[in-house]
Amino acid sequence: MVGLNEWLILSGILFLIGAVGVLTRSNGLILFMSLELMLNAVNLSFVAFSRFTGRMDGQVFVFLVTAVAASEAAIGLAIFVNLFRLQKSVDVDQLNSMGD
Amino acid sequence: MESGLLWLIPAAPLAAFVVNGSVSLATSRPGRHAPHGLVHAVACLGPGIAFLVSVWTFWQLHGMPEGSRVLTQHVYEWISSGSLQIDVAFRIDPLSGLMLLFVTGVGTLIHIYSTSYMHEERGFARYFTYLNLFMFAMLILVLADSLPLLFVGWEGVGLCSYLLIGYWYDDPEKASAGKKAFVFNRIGDFGVLLAMFLIFWTLSRAGAPSLRFEDIRAHLDAFSPGVATAVCLLLFLGATGKSAQIPLFVWLPDAMAGPTPVSALIHAATMVTAGVYLVARLGFLYALAPMALSIVALVGATTAVVAASIGVAQNDFKKVLAYSTVSQLGYMFVGVGVGAYGAGIFHVFTHAFFKACLFLGSGSVIHALHGEQDIRNMGGLRKVMPVTFWTFLIATLALAGIPPLAGFFSKDAILWEALSRPNVVWPWLPKLLWAMLLLGAFLTAFYMWRLVALAFFGTFRGTKEKLHHAHESPWPMAMPLVVLAACSVIVGFFGVPGFLGGSNAIDHWLEPAFVAEGHTAVAAVAEHAAHSAAAEWGATGVAMLMGLLGIGLGHLLYVRRPELATQLAARFSGLRRVLAAKYYVDEAYDAVVVRPVRMLSDRVLWRIFDVRIIDGIVNLLGGLTKAFSYVFRFFQSGYVQTYVFVVVLGVLVLLWRVK
Amino acid sequence: MITVPAWNSEVWMLLAPMVVVCLTAVLQLTLDLMAGERRVPSAWISIGGLAIAGVLVLGRWEAPLGQAERALGGAIRIDNLTVFLTVLILGGAALALATADGYLDQAKRGQRPEFHALALFAVTGMMLLVAAGELMTLFLALELLSFPTYVLCAFRRDQLKSSESALKYFVLGSFASSIFLYGVALIWGSTGTTVISSLAAAPESSLLHLGTLLLVVGFLFKIGAAPFHMWVPDVYEGAPTPVTAFMATTVKVAAFGAFIRVLVGFVVTQSMPTATALAVIAGLTMIVGNLSALTQDNIKRMLAFSSVAHAGYMLVGLAAVARSGWDTGAVAVLYYLAAYVFMNIGAFTVVTLLSRSAEGELQFDRDWSGSARRYPFLGIAMTIFMLGLGGIPPTAGFFGKYSLFKAAIDAGMMPLVLVAILNSLVSVYYYLRVVVAMYMRTERTVIPGVLESLAPARAHVLQGPGAMAAEEMVAPPRMADGRAWMANAVVAICLFATLWLGIGANLGALPGVSRVIDWAELAASALR
Amino acid sequence: MGLLSSIVFLPTVFALALLLMPRGNDRAVRVLALVGMLVDFAAALVLLARFGTGSGMQFVERVPWIEHFGIEYHLGVDGISLWLVVLTGFIAPLAVLGSWKGISERVREFHVLLLLLQTGMMGVFMSLDLFLFYIFWEITLIPMYFLVGIWGHERRLYAAIKFFVYTMAGSLLMLVAILALVLQHQQQTGEYTFNVLRLYETHVPQSQALWYFGAFAVAFAIKVPMWPLHTWLPDAHVEAPTAGSVILAAILLKMGCYGFLRFAIPLFPEAAMAILPVLFILPVVGIVYGALVAMVQPDLKKLVAYSSVSHLGFVMLGLFAFNRQGLEGALYQMINHGLSTGALFLMVGMLYERRHTRQIAAFGGLAQSMPVYSTVFVIVMLSSIGLPGLNGFVGEFLILLGAFHEARPYAIVATTGVILGAVYMLWATQRVLFGKLDKDENRNLPDLGRRELAVLVPLVVMILVMGVYPKPFLSRMHDAVGDLMAHVESRVENQRRADLAPPAPWDVARQVDATGKGAR
Amino acid sequence: MTKRGALERVLFYLFGGLAVLSSLSMVTRRNPLGSALSLVVAFLSLAALYAVLKAHLLFAIQLWVYAGAVMVLVLFVIMLLNLRESESRPQPLGFGRFAIATVAVAGVGWKALSVFAEQTGDAVTVDDSFGTVAGVGEVLFTRWVLQFEVVSILLLAVIVAVVVLVKRRA
């Protein structure tokens, strides 16, 4: 049997990889994908908890989160598209017109 | 006894001050002129009325039984705070009565004199305003029944002195002299203030908080010897300021920058004697502090000699007189310092007349010579200005202590008292005092005769033009001279000592003012050692001899053999220079006090402490805050991933610290 | 086992305010389609919708928790706290949106209805957020308020700053919501429930602690507490000014409201050093916010950092709640929120009014020199707002700070109060800089911002004596010159509120400080 | 609306009226502002006339305000605040009149701010609720800040900000102390109140009381300003427009002294007594230091500013002496300083209007071209250096006398201030008024005009009256000062009894003082 | 039971490892297209893991929504913007950025994962409806119906939002 701890650790690792991606990739799209990965990592832990407690609420949460993630994708990509129109790039390293 | 009229004495000059002040202000704008007649009339009327009332009061006082000769008037409550109650209340006893008499008398004369002397001045209304104010303040000083009220007059006369010295304010030196006078007086006032606080504190502890002279006299038991000494020395500090004694004497010669009548009135006859008056007024307190008295006497004697020696080397007509005044004030302090208040005040009294006469005479000369003050440019005025000459001569002889003029009696009284009264603190003091005073007497006679000789004898050394214009002064100037000269002859007879067959009326008159009833300590000091009349005769003779010697030497050097004087001057040129430069006291003050303090204030306190340190800290705090601002802004890089990174760091720290 | 919510009228009444706002958003879009070329008074529609919602929600004041709430499984709690916060949100939104039309016209940006619709959706999210009694609902509400806000930030599509701010907000916001969500996951996983009231009784575990921590981080991000504040300045600066006003106020109210509920609901009951942590964060937030604001030249950026600082002040109140458990801290925070809404919307509206061509001339030191002379009302108003933000009597800001400090002292947190005091002092300096610029510097005749924006060829032509006239010609009208009465009215309302909430006494129907405090206390009593 | 409220808010009403006036008519603005100030002064005079003897507060107005926190709108006046109210009323019209010509820009705003400032100052002196007091206290800051910042001179921005931040620093500390005190009171009595009179009875443990007193003291000391927290003052004074300087010197600084008298000392008497040596040292240093630094100032206005540091050192010394003479002297000196320094600033302003410089070196010999001005200047200067017969002496004398009772060494050093005061004032007078009129610019300076006379004559008259006949002023202080002393003494006595400590030397003198009073 | 357990373990490590590897690949690809494809693999692995966890509905949803819709959207945008080697520029923090980020994240991970590692517990036995459309649907539409509605509003808002952002100028 795979223990809850293992599931959680897997979820955690994925989350952390996503975090590293957000931290390091200056390509906006890859950064964005990393964010999606983080949400998915959380989803995994929801499902794992659901499985280990027998409550299906966790799966409902995943359902809801998936919808949110899709929305996030739409919004995020729209923002990128808009930005690309202005900047001809989605490189976040080029984005510091503000800042001290 | 309550008297309803005392208020009139100060009020009259005050009213004159108000009127003249208004006139002066109203006509101050260019192109306007104050009416001479009105100003003169008002100006003279003020002190005149005061004089008349004073005479009347004096008469009344005289008519009262000895020992209870006190007239009082409570005018209104001035300051009242808790146990402190200071009233505007007047009190005339024999001492203040006497002072009153000659202050108003001489004052009136000098007002009259001034009407002529200041006739050409554009600002004469202002002059009389100040002069009237001075009379008011001086009368308050004399009439006050408490120390604070006396202090009002005390500072008031200082103010007027300041204003009048700086009367010709457009001359920076004159304005500066006024300031100097005020500041030196203030140093003295510092002492007076502290003395008042100490007295009040002492009396508070004794359960009788007050600053009235009567109350102080009634609670002398409250003063321990130490406190009494402290109070007396503090008061004496005030006296040295006002009466130009060492170490605060340097302002008085400079004060000659004022118009000459002012010098006569304020810086010779009245104000400068206020210090003596103060010591005499609180004589019962000084009696508790023999040490303080001895110091007073010693300082007085030293001043007498030092000032006289400086006077020898001065060439400014008025400066000579000024040093003479300082010197004579020293005599007065010796008088009061040895406990002979009567003698001291007697000298104040006589000095007022002959010194005023001398100053007015000098004014007459200066007036005639259109402002010439250097005696080296004078000479032979004897014939041009006979009235001035003769009155001046009389006054000079009086000052030199030639019998039977006024100065003789008073000076002799002091000399004798100084010699004859044993000193409990320093037994050797009487002889030393006597010797110094003799030296002073000799020098006085010498420089005075030098002055007379250079100014009135010989031939005129100034320009022809000046001689041509020189003339005898008009009657408003001449009349006071004559009156004062006459007084210089007469007033001495009020104090003819017993051994000369006199009754020493002044001493008897004044005595009740100095004695605290039933106070043993006072009695102990006041007790005369028994001396034979022969000794008194001898001492008097020596003193008189000194005066004659001085005159003789002066006559020899400046009338008979002027070349000898030149030779002597060349021989002792170093000494001459030191004397002419007043022992470099001014320079010493400048180097030791004025410059360092100014330097300290400017360079250290202001530019370093205030601006650099305090403000520096304030600004540094501001600057540091701003610097931190830039530190934080450095992290606000504008890169989104930096922000994410900081979030992760935040989580990291929270995880590791909180969990 | 599973309670089926009875969706009866009672439930609908409960949700009615949110529904109304949501429908208003839809109405905006529909009307736009139907109106064609005609101008739709979008702002008025929004205000109307918000007002109706306000009336509806006020009906729930002091109402007991009914069957309906239980029916929803604790997902929604319309208690006094909700009502108080909702009214604040609605009021703030109405004020912020009232200024939007003028701004958009000036910016020559269409899509006004969409703007309002998005904002109203966000308001729906906020209302839900403050009403949520369950973590998943909280999460959804958070996202519902965030997504439209991201887009609102990017509303000036033509401006790089606008898009950049949206991107930053989006990236960081998503990152933070992931963390938040992870927290929810762990909490649910360790306790089996996400309902706040049940969580209080749940057994503690390290997993729960971890989840709680992540949840709190999510909140701290939303309220802009250090070190999770770094998005604030860039986003506030880049976003269109009315959006900034909207974000800086309503979002903060919503986030703080929810945070208080969560905090008191189950965080403080756990054996974690919550109070200390909050105190440290509060201190750090104040320091970072104030010190960073100190040297800013861009007014919006300065106000952004100031809003960070204000989050710090309010965290002082929360720290006091966490320390003492008394609700005085919560009362203070609620009062402060009310004050903060008015002061900030007022300030940002003045910014809107004073910046020519929308988003120009924000370097207040330079661009606003002497502007109080031409716009005396705005000058006075801005001064009062700045004084208020600086916490100087007689303004709401002072009273807010006063009650916060009082709560903290009550809770025995004197050192924190002293830190706050020092910070107030620092803040006074930069708030006054604005006043200095407006009043004490001489008015500029040539506006560099305008000249720089011109092509170099034309700029040098303008150097000559004709520069003045040319400047008048090329400079687009300030909003203050044109259709700005609504914005001015907003300023006036905020001005009055800022003063009245500082020193007002109860005058008949007009609530004074005392009554508002009473209300805040009633609201906070819902936390017990 | 009660009398006190009228006095407080009449200026506000006039300020609002000014705001409603159409633009452009500066003269009407000035007249209206002047009328406003005069009406306020008249109200203050009514207060003075109706002020009765007896202890306790008079004309009390007490209305619940922010009930939730026990905050009340609570005004009252006793012999301590009475004169400050009257002084405030007296100075304000003169300040308006004094800036009739000097202010030509933004006239309306200027006067609105002056009127608002008036409200704030009046409020400070009348508030009996700590919270209300704090609000008024801070309110005064804002108009002053603008007055300096808008109508000031070259370095006005620096000065204005410095003034504001410096003062804020202190008052924020005070706010914390207020809160802590109120909390303490609540814990002891269960009553949440800001009523000063109630808070007087709060017992604060000494360890905390020292902190609270410190916080209050710093706030007030900055305002006074006490050395070494004085450096904002020269800057603010020099940069402020005339009216600003006048009000700053005459009234605002008194708020600090008043704060000590009404709040800091009676609230925490034990703490004050515990650090008495420090409280004596600072004013004494201030007296000497202020005088020395004033002496070397090349800028006339700065000189007057530093002289304020010195003069307020006297006030504070008297205050901390805390016996009847010291307290009444301090109160008296507050008024004196208001009159004389106010007048000096007005006169410096008049010079500035004529010559656009304040450098002493730019003048000289003005007595020739401006005799009336010079006369007034000299009178005011003499008042400032405490010449007997003028008002300054009465205050200084009482203060030093009082201080001498409590702390002789300090009093002795402080008395040197009398000398130094004369030095710098006379020197400045000499350089400005006397000497040769050798600068062409000064030759044709017009003397005082009718308006300027109208400004200065009331001041000079008061200077004279207060010097010659201080009784009506002092007698109205007696009851309030007595109350204050009784309160503090009983507090300290209680503590002493609790501590079983031997009586301090200063108390012996006080007891003697009390018996002396009885004997009279 | 053990056999099933073993199978589960194998599947867990297989898909778990795949998910981790593909995630790493996603994060480290230089080309966004490569990243996107890696992410698809990760999503698919996650879907498989959902299946292992008996979340059948979610398995499907994961395939449709993530691997399908979201990734198509991403790829579409990548194509639209024609993004290729866009990271040729030196980065502000260079390689250091990667190192620092990893350290920081590892620091967080160390603490968090150690908490996870403490978690024990076995999967509970569940009935057949667990994770099915019917089972999840029942819960969703009873207890979580309000949240469901909220999501619908969210989607509506997002539609408006996206239109606002990308609509061509009128």
Side-chain angles (χ1 to χ4, degrees), chain C residues 252-272:
Chain C
K252 205 155 255 183
V253 171
F256 257 103
F259 191 26
I260 296 177
R261 202 187 281 283
V262 167
L263 205 62
V264 178
F266 71 94
V267 178
V268 296
T269 56
Q270 296 180 34
S271 59
M272 288 193 293

Side-chain angles (χ1 to χ4, degrees), chain B residues 76 81 83 169 204 610 615, chain D residues 162 230 289 306 328 468 512-513:
Chain B
Y76 68 94
S81 173
S83 53
Y169 53 78
S204 286
D610 226 48
D615 253 8
Chain D
K162 194 172 176 183
H230 65 279
Y289 182 96
Y306 274 108
E328 292 184 355
V468 173
V512 172
D513 194 2

Side-chain angles (χ1 to χ4, degrees), chain C residues 85-133:
Chain C
L85 292 166
T86 308
V87 169
L88 269 187
I89 290 166
L90 294 173
L95 289 171
L97 289 178
T99 67
D101 281 11
Y103 175 88
L104 292 173
D105 289 350
Q106 194 189 12
K108 303 205 173 58
R109 179 78 166 87
Q111 295 186 316
R112 274 185 301 115
E114 283 88 342
F115 183 95
H116 284 273
L118 283 176
L120 291 172
F121 280 128
V123 170
T124 314
M126 296 173 205
M127 294 166 77
L128 192 61
L129 189 68
V130 296

Side-chain angles (χ1 to χ4, degrees), chain C residues 29-40:
Chain C
L29 299 169
T30 350
L31 272 182
D32 184 41
L33 289 176
M34 299 194 312
E37 288 301 299
R38 274 172 298 162
R39 187 184 169 85
V40 179

Side-chain angles (χ1 to χ4, degrees), chain D residues 221-413:
Chain D
I222 287 174
K223 201 78 167 190
V224 168
M226 270 166 82
W227 185 90
L229 299 173
H230 65 279
T231 54
W232 64 270
L233 184 78
D235 285 318
H237 267 321
V238 168
E239 299 306 325
T242 302
S245 300
V246 171
I247 289 181
L248 186 60
I251 319 289
L252 280 187
L253 306 189
K254 307 306 170 316
M255 286 169 30
C257 314
Y258 176 77
F260 271 105
L261 211 47
R262 172 74 78 221
F263 302 103
I265 295 178
L267 283 174
F268 314 104
E270 303 90 351
M273 290 306 156
I275 59 167
L276 210 54
V278 180
L279 297 182
F280 277 131
I281 287 173
L282 293 184
V284 169
V285 173
I287 290 170
V288 176
Y289 182 96
L292 286 178
V293 176
M295 189 167 68
V296 293
Q297 294 304 317
D299 182 317
L300 192 54
K301 218 172 174 184
K302 217 165 192 169
L303 184 146
V304 182
Y306 274 108
S307 85
S308 285
V309 175
S310 185
H311 281 133
L312 286 157
F314 278 112
V315 174
M316 297 318 293
L317 183 68
L319 241 161
F320 294 136
F322 217 83
N323 49 26
R324 189 171 278 277
Q325 286 87 26
L327 285 171
E328 292 184 355
L331 270 169
Y332 207 78
Q333 188 69 354
M334 286 188 215
I335 313 174
N336 294 340
H337 180 259
L339 297 175
S340 61
T341 309
L344 280 175
F345 275 121
L346 280 166
M347 301 191 75
V348 175
M350 289 168 188
L351 274 192
Y352 186 82
E353 279 171 27
R354 287 168 169 75
R355 285 278 279 106
H356 297 285
T357 178
R358 298 176 304 262
Q359 295 300 311
I360 296 176
F363 302 106
L366 294 191
Q368 210 161 324
S369 49
M370 304 171 69
V372 179
Y373 175 90
S374 304
T375 308
V376 177
F377 191 98
V378 168
I379 293 174
V380 172
M381 178 271 288
L382 292 171
S383 148
S384 172
I385 64 176
L387 187 90
L390 300 179
N391 57 352
F393 172 72
V394 180
E396 267 181 26
F397 185 79
L398 287 173
I399 287 169
L400 291 171
L401 187 75
F404 195 85
H405 264 242
E406 311 300 341
R408 251 175 295 165
Y410 303 113
I412 291 170
V413 179

